[in-house]
Amino acid sequence: MTSQVPCYTIINSPDLEVTNEMQLKRDLEKGDTNVKIETLKRVIKLLLNGERYPGLIMTIIRFVLPVQNHTIKKLLLIFWEIVPKTSADGKLLQEMILVCDAYRKDLQHPNEFLRGSTLRFLCKLKEPELLEPLMPAIRACLDHRHSYVRRNAVLAIFTIYKNFDWLVPDGPELIASFLDTQQDMSCKRNAFLMLLHADQERALNYLASCIDQVHTFGDILQLVIVELIYKVCHANPAERSRFIRCIYNLLNSSSNAVRYESAGTLITLSLAPTAIKAAASCYIELVVKESDNNVKLIVLDRLVAMKEHEGMEKVMQDLVMDVLRVLAAPDIEVRRKTLALALDLVYSRNIGEMVLVLKKEVSKTHNVEHEDTGKYRQLLVRTLHTCSIKFPDVAANVIPVLVEFLSDTNELAAADVLIFIREAIQKFPALRALIIEHLIEAFPQIKSSKIHRAAVWILGEYVEGSQILEVIAVIQQTLGEVPMVEAEQRRLAGDQTEEQKQQQGSAGGNAAGSAAEGSGSGNASNKVTSDGTYATQSAYSLAPVAKAEKRPPLRQYLMDGDFFIGGALSATLTKLALRYAELETEARAQNRLTTQVMLIMSSILHLGKSGFPSKPITNDDTDRIFVCLRTLSERTPEAISVFTLYCREALGKMLDAQHDEDQRMLKEKQKATAKVQPDDPVLFAQLSNGRDNQLGENVFESSLNQALAGSKNAQLSDVASPNSKLNKVTQLTGFSDPVYAEAYVNVNQYDIVLDVLIVNQTNDTLQNCTLELATLGDLKLVERPHPVVLAPHDFCNIKANVKVSSTENGIIFGNIVYETALNTNVVVLNTIHIDIMDYIIPASCTDTEFRQMWQDFEWENKVTVNTSFTDLHEYLKHLLKSTNMKCLTPEKALSGQCGFMAANMYAKSIFGENALANLSIEKPVDDPDSKVTGHIRIRAKSQGMALSLGDKISSSQKQSVQAA
């Protein structure tokens, strides 16, 4: 295998035109300074693209190296870094001795920038033969007057000691004595960093000598001190008591980065309640004071991770009020995480205080118009809802606040309030009278048909006793004059309706004042112009303006063609009439109320057929109202039991099913948090699979594991296992091709690394063997792979990086071009299909959110089910596994065998894209061997997501059919 040349510089350059070497030499020899700079830049780009110009080295040494221009000096540092410094047999080129001499002079140059940048360049050299003559000059730079030179000299000695310790055997002693005399923080930081890695004992001795002054150090040095304490205490727990006070002091550092690292280190070193409280308080302060939303989210994630630890959760419960201070942040994601965290931490002692804070937040949102205000109100409603169900004692305080939301223009918040009221009224019978009272008060102010419909249902289901007549009166008030058709005809004819008379009566007091003002001419009125003079305006010059008819809310819905609320209203009025009949013994009072209710229903039917509304009444709504009328006229026991008993029972069962589902999810979460048992095996870091809790373990190891795994859901064991690697190997050429190639596709979040193995199967040497790749879809090749030379039957690995920008099926294709002694040949490669499943993760949302997204998303892909599965549940499991989606339909709704299944599924991509799917499948119940049929509808915001997911489902179906 060919060894890769170490290189630290990547310069992205488009496809360059390969320039003649003679032309480059001429420009470098005879050109002026600007020409030399441009030529040198072109040479660097060509070298990075794989071209070789061995003849240019001497030209550059003779004509470019002596130039004192700073830009040329900087470019030469990059050139000497990337240029091959050894001959074919691995020996150092003779010309490099001249280069070495030039850099020795630069290390003694009076300009501190040149010295410092040269020292930085020496950190990247991997040839000890070049470094050895320069060691005295590097050591001398430690005593330079300028800190830029001194700190880079320390870094140079550090890297040289790390790679070739025999070049500087007294490195730690040299740097330790340097550290004692230094005042500059950047120099101290670099020196301390070297001691941390090279001689930990000396670093500890230095820290012990100045431990009381640590809080006065600069933040860059404090960060290295935190790292040292962390490593020492993990390696030797007995040292914790010696350094933990230092970490406590650093929690009050002026640097946010130091405070964040110190808090993270503190909770890994100690689980004492004082340590947990100090770390959590530090995190909360960071979230409150930091302006960057990304930082806020990262620190909130750390607080959530702390909460998952049982011992820490109890301590953090007292900090709920501090956590709620974060709600001052304007970002909706930060607020969402904060409310979720506070909800998990709150307990009976501080629930009252939390509800007061949330009430204040609710009142703040009333007069604020912002794009996220509606979503924030919805979040507050849901949080108060959960608080009330979790702690029933506060429900009585919460209900009056939430009922105010019913008149809100934001339908989402109002709908959530009604969901809460529905659950509270079912679960807390003692609060029913209070809820009904507030609901009746808010009923006329409701602005949405959907909210009115749900409120009508709740009133009809739970109103009892004297409140029945009150509810019917409120409904009549919001419905307007009955019969409605006659009222609309009078309105059309210009006669006054009862509502208009009432409005005029209520405004009678104001009319007297306005009459005095308008007592002038009927046809003309005096107006005052901007300059103070009078102008006469004639009535004939005004265009007649049609006055918008203002109707009561329920009547307006019916006039707009929404007769679904008419059906709901009829069912409610029927329930109220039947319940009143049970309470009232006098037949006349019963009949009076029943006829009043039947008149309203028949009036709605008449209005629906009259042609006044914008849309006529539908057959479904007509049938529903007729059923209500028939129930009231015939009063059969079966129909009465449906209206008075079964509706409430159905709600109870639905709420119980939701509660069971929540409990099941909670148990699954608790199962995931592993507890250590006395007989558990001892964990070794080398054998660990990376699934341990991120707190209490070595966070450097866990972050490395996560980087390897590519995402939080992936595990190190999955990454390291040979099987997973073999599954991702794609064969690119045939076994009989002169060049065999196969690629290991490693997907790491937004990057794809192709590790291509190329084998020369011929007896010839292949010159300039180049892997040429191109992409289709939202993929972008980062850099072009370098050409290689392959000896007979030799092989090598070439890596190529591809950037991903969205969740679409991407294709990588290309060929291998190589030269033999006779001609140039091309081997076309098999295409590599990038699996979108690497970017899709299961997610959950509420039914309302699902329906809203389903309505908003415009791209739909319908996939017909073609499978060998004979069981509906087995097919659903196969589909969820192959698409990484989560089934939103509860388990109870899917249980049993009826020959038909409908389920909703949801997933998100790591790019934030949503994917929805609806499964509708069936099979004959009497034929157990028949195959599942039906279709899957996929909806997404982008076309690529919908098509890619459809392709994935189709390919998984083909595989299952072929396997069968």
Side-chain angles (χ1 to χ4, degrees):
M1 286 179 62
T2 58
S3 61
Q4 290 194 346
V5 179
C7 175
Y8 300 89
T9 305
I10 296 174
I11 297 170
N12 182 31
S13 55
D15 293 337
L16 286 168
E17 208 177 295
V18 179
T19 317
N20 185 356
E21 190 172 344
M22 292 305 296
Q23 180 62 42
L24 291 173
K25 279 186 179 181
R26 198 177 304 116
D27 289 343
L28 290 170
E29 280 180 33
K30 297 179 181 175
D32 60 9
T33 304
N34 291 332
V35 172
K36 284 182 179 178
I37 288 171
E38 289 304 316
T39 309
L40 203 51
K41 283 181 181 177
R42 199 178 315 126
V43 169
I44 289 168
K45 288 177 181 176
L46 288 167
L47 284 173
L48 285 171
N49 277 355
E51 301 296 332
R52 292 290 174 266
Y53 295 111
L56 281 181
I57 294 178
M58 205 60 216
T59 307
I60 287 173
I61 289 171
R62 286 175 60 203
F63 298 103
V64 184
L65 200 57
V67 179
Q68 291 303 310
N69 182 281
H70 282 198
T71 308
I72 287 182
K73 291 276 186 193
K74 279 199 283 187
L75 289 171
L76 281 173
L77 293 176
I78 299 172
F79 174 78
W80 293 123
E81 180 194 331
I82 63 172
V83 76
K85 302 169 192 66
T86 54
S87 56
D89 56 359
K91 289 182 181 178
L92 194 71
L93 294 172
Q94 294 293 324
E95 295 92 329
M96 296 312 292
I97 297 167
L98 298 171
V99 177
C100 184
D101 186 58
Y103 282 117
R104 189 176 54 76
K105 287 176 185 170
D106 280 347
L107 287 174
Q108 295 163 349
H109 200 280
N111 185 302
E112 61 272 3
F113 170 74
L114 272 181
R115 279 202 190 197
S117 53
T118 307
L119 286 164
R120 285 175 70 88
F121 159 71
L122 295 178
C123 294
K124 302 171 185 178
L125 283 184
K126 292 286 183 273
E127 289 79 21
E129 302 94 327
L130 286 175
L131 291 168
E132 193 171 7
L134 301 174
M135 287 314 300
I138 295 172
R139 282 169 175 266
C141 287
L142 286 174
D143 301 321
H144 194 271
R145 59 182 172 76
H146 204 283
S147 60
Y148 179 70
V149 177
R150 294 200 303 275
R151 70 167 177 257
N152 283 308
V154 173
L155 275 183
I157 289 173
F158 176 29
T159 50
I160 292 166
Y161 181 79
K162 193 165 61 175
N163 296 325
F164 318 105
D165 55 353
W166 50 273
L167 285 177
V168 52
D170 59 338
E173 294 92 334
L174 182 68
I175 295 301
S177 58
F178 170 81
L179 186 59
D180 290 331
T181 59
Q182 276 306 303
Q183 295 302 318
D184 183 75
M185 277 304 153
S186 59
C187 296
K188 287 176 96 166
R189 180 255 180 197
N190 287 359
F192 193 78
L193 187 66
M194 175 178 171
L195 291 182
L196 166 64
H197 292 282
D199 192 341
Q200 229 173 62
E201 194 58 43
R202 286 179 191 275
L204 284 174
N205 292 338
Y206 174 76
L207 180 58
S209 68
C210 60
I211 200 159
D212 295 329
Q213 288 91 41
V214 165
H215 63 279
T216 63
F217 292 168
D219 55 348
I220 53 173
L221 182 55
Q222 285 177 343
L223 282 170
V224 182
I225 289 171
V226 171
E227 186 184 343
L228 171 69
I229 294 173
Y230 182 83
K231 286 187 173 179
V232 169
C233 294
H234 252 286
N236 185 7
E239 297 278 356
R240 287 184 185 185
S241 57
R242 185 179 167 195
F243 294 112
I244 205 156
R245 181 167 296 282
C246 180
I247 292 291
Y248 270 110
N249 291 337
L250 288 174
L251 286 177
N252 301 316
S253 169
S254 58
S255 165
N256 286 346
V258 174
R259 295 174 71 192
Y260 176 78
E261 291 296 336
S262 302
T265 302
L266 185 59
I267 52 176
T268 57
L269 300 183
S270 172
L271 290 179
T274 49
I276 295 164
K277 194 167 185 178
S281 301
C282 180
Y283 279 145
I284 292 166
E285 282 296 317
L286 284 174
V287 181
V288 172
K289 291 182 177 175
E290 183 59 49
S291 58
D292 190 345
N293 285 330
N294 293 320
V295 175
K296 286 179 188 283
L297 291 169
I298 289 166
V299 180
L300 278 171
D301 282 337
R302 290 296 299 166
L303 284 166
V304 171
M306 284 177 71
K307 184 259 307 173
E308 299 294 335
H309 195 285
E310 278 184 32
M312 295 187 187
E313 187 177 8
K314 288 175 185 172
V315 180
M316 289 176 70
Q317 284 177 342
D318 295 326
L319 298 171
V320 169
M321 301 313 293
D322 291 329
V323 169
L324 289 173
R325 287 165 55 205
V326 182
L327 291 177
D331 186 65
I332 190 72
E333 281 304 318
V334 173
R335 286 169 161 177
R336 183 179 283 118
K337 273 197 176 172
T338 306
L339 287 172
L341 177 63
L343 205 52
D344 287 340
L345 291 175
V346 75
Y347 67 122
S348 53
R349 284 188 192 173
N350 52 19
I351 181 66
E353 293 176 33
M354 178 170 166
V355 167
L356 283 173
V357 171
L358 294 178
K359 277 184 179 180
K360 283 182 185 172
E361 288 295 317
V362 167
S363 62
K364 282 180 193 173
T365 61
H366 278 311
N367 301 319
V368 179
E369 284 307 321
H370 188 264
E371 57 180 342
D372 287 333
T373 305
K375 290 179 186 175
Y376 184 42
R377 282 184 200 166
Q378 196 180 4
L379 274 178
L380 290 170
V381 169
R382 288 182 182 176
T383 309
L384 285 166
H385 173 183
T386 313
C387 287
S388 304
I389 301 303
K390 218 173 172 183
F391 304 96
D393 298 342
V394 299
N397 297 328
V398 169
I399 286 161
V401 179
L402 291 187
V403 168
E404 292 176 16
F405 274 99
L406 291 178
S407 59
D408 195 28
T409 49
N410 179 23
E411 195 177 276
L412 295 172
D416 280 340
V417 170
L418 278 173
I419 289 168
F420 160 62
I421 288 174
R422 187 181 67 186
E423 189 171 350
I425 209 167
Q426 173 74 10
K427 288 190 174 178
F428 311 132
L431 295 173
R432 281 181 188 170
L434 175 74
I435 293 172
I436 294 295
E437 185 186 332
H438 282 96
L439 200 53
I440 290 171
E441 280 178 24
F443 193 81
Q445 276 81 43
I446 296 173
K447 299 181 175 67
S448 163
S449 161
K450 188 179 172 184
I451 307 305
H452 253 131
R453 197 167 67 232
V456 159
W457 188 92
I458 292 170
L459 289 171
E461 197 59 54
Y462 292 97
V463 167
E464 290 170 354
S466 60
Q467 287 180 316
I468 291 175
L469 294 172
E470 199 180 335
V471 169
I472 290 177
V474 168
I475 289 173
Q476 279 190 319
Q477 180 194 337
T478 46
L479 194 60
E481 187 187 343
V482 178
M484 287 181 271
V485 174
E486 285 79 353
E488 288 301 320
Q489 283 173 340
R490 282 203 299 279
R491 191 188 292 271
L492 202 64
D495 298 339
Q496 282 194 330
T497 60
E498 280 184 26
E499 298 110 48
Q500 288 168 338
K501 286 175 186 173
Q502 286 171 6
Q503 284 169 11
Q504 280 190 359
S506 64
N510 301 328
S514 61
E517 287 175 23
S519 57
S521 169
N523 292 337
S525 61
N526 286 332
K527 299 282 180 186
V528 181
T529 60
S530 57
D531 59 354
T533 57
Y534 287 97
T536 303
Q537 186 177 25
S538 171
Y540 296 110
S541 64
L542 293 172
V545 179
K547 210 174 179 182
E549 296 287 353
K550 192 174 181 185
R551 299 183 177 89
L554 291 177
R555 173 84 63 86
Q556 189 61 51
Y557 303 146
L558 296 173
M559 291 301 290
D560 292 339
D562 181 6
F563 281 93
F564 187 25
I565 193 164
L569 199 59
S570 303
T572 295
L573 291 169
T574 305
K575 288 177 193 174
L576 293 173
L578 293 172
R579 203 165 290 126
Y580 186 76
E582 290 174 9
L583 298 170
E584 182 61 57
T585 51
E586 191 186 344
R588 283 187 68 188
Q590 286 183 21
N591 291 336
R592 192 184 301 116
L593 186 79
T594 305
T595 50
Q596 188 181 347
V597 163
M598 291 175 83
L599 174 63
I600 292 172
M601 290 190 230
S602 56
S603 179
I604 292 170
L605 275 173
H606 190 194
L607 182 69
K609 304 281 188 185
S610 67
F612 281 114
S614 54
K615 297 174 194 167
I617 190 169
T618 62
N619 292 336
D620 285 348
D621 296 327
T622 306
D623 292 346
R624 198 172 178 198
I625 297 171
F626 272 130
V627 166
C628 294
L629 287 166
R630 193 170 176 182
T631 303
L632 286 175
S633 58
E634 294 180 2
R635 309 261 174 121
T636 56
E638 294 85 359
I640 290 172
S641 60
V642 167
F643 277 98
T644 56
L645 298 173
Y646 294 162
C647 290
R648 197 176 300 187
E649 281 179 20
L651 174 63
K653 285 177 183 173
M654 187 189 83
L655 292 174
D656 289 342
Q658 280 181 357
H659 180 70
D660 293 345
E661 183 71 17
D662 292 342
Q663 290 298 315
R664 188 179 66 80
M665 296 286 286
L666 199 63
K667 279 181 184 173
E668 281 182 9
K669 221 181 241 183
Q670 286 170 348
K671 275 182 196 171
T673 58
K675 293 176 182 174
V676 180
Q677 301 296 338
D679 56 345
D680 275 357
V682 178
L683 285 174
F684 293 95
Q686 289 81 356
L687 306 176
S688 167
N689 58 9
R691 281 181 290 192
D692 310 322
N693 194 323
Q694 63 172 323
L695 297 167
E697 63 163 304
N698 191 327
V699 290
F700 292 105
E701 288 293 324
S702 63
S703 60
L704 176 64
N705 293 350
Q706 191 178 317
L708 283 169
S711 68
K712 288 185 180 176
N713 297 331
Q715 295 162 357
L716 190 61
S717 56
D718 301 338
V719 178
S721 66
N723 288 339
S724 71
K725 285 192 173 182
L726 291 172
N727 289 337
K728 293 181 179 179
V729 171
T730 307
Q731 187 178 334
L732 300 179
T733 63
F735 290 114
S736 58
D737 282 320
V739 176
Y740 172 74
E742 64 182 26
Y744 165 56
V745 183
N746 182 22
V747 177
N748 184 0
Q749 286 196 337
Y750 306 109
D751 298 315
I752 299 171
V753 179
L754 297 180
D755 192 350
V756 184
L757 170 70
I758 297 178
V759 183
N760 179 7
Q761 300 194 111
T762 66
N763 295 320
D764 301 323
T765 300
L766 306 183
Q767 300 283 341
N768 286 335
C769 185
T770 310
L771 176 67
E772 294 182 347
L773 296 173
T775 57
L776 202 64
D778 277 344
L779 303 175
K780 186 180 178 185
L781 197 66
V782 177
E783 55 182 330
R784 204 172 71 183
H786 290 278
V788 291
V789 177
L790 284 177
H793 302 288
D794 191 10
F795 65 93
C796 73
N797 283 66
I798 296 176
K799 289 189 177 177
N801 291 310
V802 177
K803 272 277 185 223
V804 188
S805 54
S806 76
T807 315
E808 281 190 33
N809 276 338
I811 295 173
I812 301 172
F813 58 95
N815 48 46
I816 293 174
V817 182
Y818 61 92
E819 296 173 6
T820 59
L822 300 172
N823 54 6
T824 302
N825 297 308
V826 178
V827 178
V828 178
L829 304 178
N830 193 8
T831 53
I832 302 172
H833 293 267
I834 302 302
D835 192 357
I836 65 160
M837 290 305 105
D838 292 311
Y839 309 111
I840 290 180
I841 49 175
S844 58
C845 64
T846 62
D847 289 344
T848 313
E849 288 167 345
F850 185 91
R851 281 195 290 271
Q852 187 61 43
M853 285 191 282
W854 188 270
Q855 187 180 329
D856 294 344
F857 292 170
E858 53 188 9
W859 291 103
E860 180 172 313
N861 188 7
K862 191 172 179 180
V863 180
T864 306
V865 173
N866 174 26
T867 181
S868 57
F869 282 95
T870 56
D871 184 81
L872 299 175
H873 293 86
E874 288 297 319
Y875 180 75
L876 176 62
K877 284 179 188 172
H878 165 74
L879 191 64
L880 293 174
K881 188 179 176 184
S882 60
T883 57
N884 274 5
M885 298 188 94
K886 182 179 180 180
C887 182
L888 299 180
T889 310
E891 192 69 36
K892 282 194 174 180
L894 298 171
S895 58
Q897 294 287 349
C898 66
F900 176 79
M901 180 187 280
N904 290 335
M905 296 173 290
Y906 178 57
K908 280 185 98 167
S909 75
I910 62 171
F911 304 100
E913 298 166 309
N914 297 302
L916 313 173
N918 173 259
L919 171 73
S920 296
I921 49 175
E922 61 181 348
K923 65 163 281 185
V925 183
D926 50 358
D927 184 5
D929 296 328
S930 63
K931 292 176 182 175
V932 172
T933 57
H935 59 265
I936 303 148
R937 291 168 67 197
I938 302 157
R939 282 206 180 180
K941 202 167 188 177
S942 63
Q943 184 186 19
M945 184 82 163
L947 292 174
S948 302
L949 210 51
D951 291 345
K952 180 65 186 173
I953 292 170
S954 301
S955 63
S956 69
Q957 287 189 150
K958 281 178 189 172
Q959 287 170 5
S960 66
V961 170
Q962 286 167 2

